[in-house]
């Protein structure tokens, strides 16, 4: 996944353009900037690369989600359905606009289970927020149909699936809005940054204002801009956009290497019949940032993880079931509604409901799943060695299992 593995003269050149004149802010200072508008250029590149009409850069992926939720009118009294397997940023963003995150089960796609979504819909549901986790996509036909049927907003958290697609459309451009993160570990990086993508002009115009204190950006004098609504500061800087501008030009190369390495690793792991792979709703559209694979039981998976760790080869192989940041099992702060400032009593009690919800369907999937991060920098020899070490561990655990049963 990580664009940080590839740092080049292209990133340095774009950064030096900005350093030359010292205009580090994306707005204003027209006379000083010698024609450098890195953020505007990156937004245009995002629109043409991913096939959306509008793009608004933000200071992070979390800020992009918060912006999208807010400009889509989601807030007090609303529920947003989102998966129990994601990064904490997804529910943080929902809370930050004063709405209630309703976490539901994932299935063997590692994304929202459409049946679980249907069951969670109430009169208060305002939006469905699928998360295209680990490079691959949710079942978008099913989710689009549910949104149409119930008149719900569809917001895609595509932060982890830059370059993935579903039936020919880029992930993040299918719903009312979609977001990417350009933080340091994502497929392409700005160091920190994010984007709201949309084909709705109203969503774009509001995002443009919301991320800059409500500025309408209609005049040439910032100080004289009007403020049609209250906004925040979620601006990206020109330095960050400069890095992103170099990275987006290199994205085809990153994705090609990712796909090549993913296919080679999958080929090696496929030698073991007990290993199965994540279901991909549109296999053509997998961005291949991770290879996610299943073992037959939780006990076998735990034994494999323990042995990978003992042999020092666990790094890069993620067992999300035991992870503090990506799966509900370890989110005690959410289940106990531990915040630094007071929450409304309603949101607090709705959050705490998650402690008693049944996530056994997700547990059954996540407890058997290991996701291997696909590195861009592996040599063929390193990749082969990595794959063979993994299958040696799996074989060792399976044979032990066979003799103890
Ligand atoms: C990285 C990520 C985010 C948040 O992005 P930041 O830029 O780190 O704020 C949101 N959702 C998912 C699924 C992510 O992986």
């Amino acid at each position: 996944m990580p664009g940080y593995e590839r740092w080049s003269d292209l990133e340095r050149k774009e950064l030096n353009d900005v350093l030359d004149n010292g205009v580090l802010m994306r707005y204003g200072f027209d006379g000083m900037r010698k024609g450098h508008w890195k953020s505007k250029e990156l937004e245009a590149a995002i629109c043409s690369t991913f096939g959306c009409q509008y793009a608004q850069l933000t200071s992070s992926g979390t800020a992009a989600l918060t912006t999208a939720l807010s400009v889509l009118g989601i807030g007090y009294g609303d529920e947003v359905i989102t998966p129990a397997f994601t990064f904490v940023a997804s529910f943080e963003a929902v809370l930050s606009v004063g709405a209630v995150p309703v976490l539901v089960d994932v299935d063997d796609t590692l994304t929202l289970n459409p049946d679980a979504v249907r069951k969670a819909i109430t009169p208060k549901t305002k939006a469905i927020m699928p998360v295209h986790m680990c490079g691959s996509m949710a079942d978008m036909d099913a989710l689009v149909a549910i949104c149409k049927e119930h008149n719900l907003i569809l917001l895609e958290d595509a932060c982890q699936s830059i370059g993935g697609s579903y039936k020919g459309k880029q992930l993040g451009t299918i719903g009312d809005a979609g977001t990417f993160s350009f933080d340091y570990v994502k497929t392409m990086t700005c160091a920190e940054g994010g984007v709201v993508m949309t084909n709705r002009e109203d969503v774009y115009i509001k995002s443009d204002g919301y991320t800059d204190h409500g500025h309408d950006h209609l005049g040439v004098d910032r100080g004289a801009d009007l403020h049609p609504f209250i906004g925040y500061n979620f601006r990206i800087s020109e330095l960050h956009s400069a890095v992103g501008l170099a990275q987006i030009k290199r994205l085809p190369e990153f994705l090609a290497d990712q796909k090549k390495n993913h296919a080679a690793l999958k080929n090696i792991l496929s030698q073991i019949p007990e290993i199965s792979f994540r279901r991909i709703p549109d296999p053509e559209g997998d961005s291949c940032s991770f290879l996610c694979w299943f073992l037959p039981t939780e006990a076998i998976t735990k034994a494999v993880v323990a042995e990978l760790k003992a042999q020092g080869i666990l790094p890069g192989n993620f067992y999300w079931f035991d992870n503090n940041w990506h799966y509900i099992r370890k989110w005690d702060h959410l289940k106990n509604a531990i915040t630094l400032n007071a929450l409304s009593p309603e949101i607090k009690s709705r959050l705490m409901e998650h402690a008693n919800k049944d996530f056994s369907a997700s547990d059954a999937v996540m407890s058997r799943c290991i996701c291997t991060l696909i590195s861009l920098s592996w040599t063929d020899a390193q990749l082969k060695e990595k794959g063979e070490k993994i299958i040696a561990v799996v074989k060792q655990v399976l044979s032990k299992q066979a003799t103890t049963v």
Side-chain angles (χ1 to χ4, degrees):
M1 168 151 91
Y4 72 76
E5 291 180 292
R6 301 277 172 90
W7 182 254
S8 72
D9 284 345
L10 212 60
E11 284 80 359
R12 270 186 285 273
K13 185 210 159 278
E14 296 290 349
L15 272 171
N16 279 328
D17 281 350
V18 178
L19 294 176
D20 266 353
N21 59 39
V23 179
L24 310 186
M25 188 178 183
R26 68 160 301 176
Y27 297 113
F29 303 94
D30 299 24
M32 284 167 65
R33 50 170 77 238
K34 300 186 196 140
H36 296 318
W37 296 91
K38 298 299 178 187
S39 304
K40 278 187 203 290
E41 261 188 77
L42 179 53
E43 285 166 349
I46 288 168
C47 289
S48 61
T49 303
F50 300 104
C52 57
Q53 286 197 42
Y54 306 100
Q56 176 66 43
L57 286 166
T58 57
S59 49
S60 71
T62 311
L65 285 171
T66 301
T67 299
L69 288 158
S70 202
V71 307
L72 288 163
I74 297 160
Y76 173 73
D78 298 328
E79 295 175 2
V80 178
I81 297 175
T82 197
F85 173 52
T86 178
F87 179 54
V88 288
S90 311
F91 68 75
E92 290 168 354
V94 175
L95 284 172
S96 75
V97 300
V100 175
V102 175
L103 276 54
V104 308
D105 276 322
V106 295
D107 58 23
D108 59 349
T109 64
L110 308 185
T111 66
L112 278 179
N113 176 337
D115 291 332
V117 171
R118 276 185 193 282
K119 287 196 190 108
I121 291 173
T122 74
K124 291 186 167 180
T125 306
K126 181 97 175 243
I128 299 178
M129 188 165 100
V131 184
H132 304 298
M133 275 303 271
C134 302
S136 173
M137 76 295 299
D139 180 348
M140 291 306 283
D141 280 350
L143 296 176
V144 166
I146 295 171
C147 286
K148 282 211 175 111
E149 193 180 316
H150 295 271
N151 195 25
L152 301 175
I153 291 164
L154 182 60
L155 168 60
E156 300 172 77
D157 179 343
C159 289
Q160 281 198 16
S161 56
I162 297 170
S165 62
Y166 178 77
K167 299 192 175 174
K169 286 187 184 157
Q170 292 289 311
L171 301 180
T173 68
I174 299 166
D176 294 278
T179 63
F180 288 154
S181 160
F182 302 128
D183 79 23
Y184 196 53
V185 299
K186 298 305 203 276
T187 304
M188 58 168 268
T189 186
C190 292
E192 297 286 358
V195 67
V196 178
M197 294 176 291
T198 183
N199 293 310
R200 283 176 51 176
E201 188 183 22
D202 62 323
V203 169
Y204 166 67
I205 290 175
K206 287 176 189 162
S207 297
D208 174 60
Y210 187 80
T211 51
D212 187 23
H213 302 292
H215 275 265
D216 66 2
H217 295 146
L218 292 177
V220 286
D221 171 8
R222 264 181 82 71
D225 276 353
L226 297 180
H227 31 67
F229 49 79
I230 295 174
Y232 289 92
N233 177 3
F234 290 143
R235 291 187 304 256
I236 197 163
S237 81
E238 286 288 276
L239 289 169
H240 293 89
S241 294
V243 176
L245 200 51
Q247 291 253 311
I248 202 169
K249 290 174 187 158
R250 307 177 69 204
L251 187 63
E253 159 206 327
F254 296 172
L255 290 170
D257 288 353
Q258 209 161 258
K259 286 184 184 175
K260 179 175 89 46
N261 289 350
H262 182 278
L265 187 66
K266 187 169 184 189
N267 205 24
I268 297 173
L269 298 200
S270 299
Q271 292 170 32
I272 301 199
E274 286 86 352
I275 291 180
S276 58
F277 297 94
R278 166 192 198 173
R279 182 164 60 87
I280 313 271
D282 176 10
E284 294 277 290
D286 189 354
S287 80
C288 295
S289 55
F290 284 85
L291 177 65
C292 295
W293 44 288
F294 299 108
L295 288 158
T297 66
E298 176 177 342
I300 293 172
T301 313
K302 286 195 161 149
V304 166
V305 169
E307 190 55 33
L308 289 171
K309 193 169 183 188
Q311 298 193 15
I313 45 181
L314 189 61
N317 296 291
F318 293 91
Y319 187 46
W320 303 119
F321 188 62
D322 268 349
N323 182 289
N324 285 346
W325 296 96
H326 292 85
Y327 187 51
I328 188 149
R329 217 161 71 90
K330 296 282 180 83
W331 293 342
D332 293 333
H333 61 335
L334 170 93
K335 290 181 265 190
N336 295 312
I338 299 173
T339 54
L340 298 179
N341 54 343
L343 288 175
S344 82
E346 188 205 338
I347 293 187
K348 188 162 183 154
S349 71
R350 296 300 311 279
L351 272 188
M352 292 174 84
E353 281 174 16
H354 288 97
N356 300 315
K357 268 199 194 171
D358 175 15
F359 288 104
S360 55
S362 300
D363 288 346
V365 171
M366 299 309 301
S367 64
R368 298 184 299 107
C369 180
I370 295 173
C371 290
T372 305
L373 180 74
I374 301 299
S375 169
L376 303 179
S377 52
W378 287 337
T379 62
D380 290 349
Q382 283 170 330
L383 192 155
K384 190 155 175 272
E385 189 191 336
K386 211 166 249 301
E388 282 172 358
K389 277 189 179 164
I390 292 173
I391 62 172
V393 166
V394 173
K395 279 183 185 159
Q396 181 189 331
V397 169
L398 288 172
S399 69
K400 219 185 240 166
Q401 197 81 8
T403 53
T404 53
V405 167

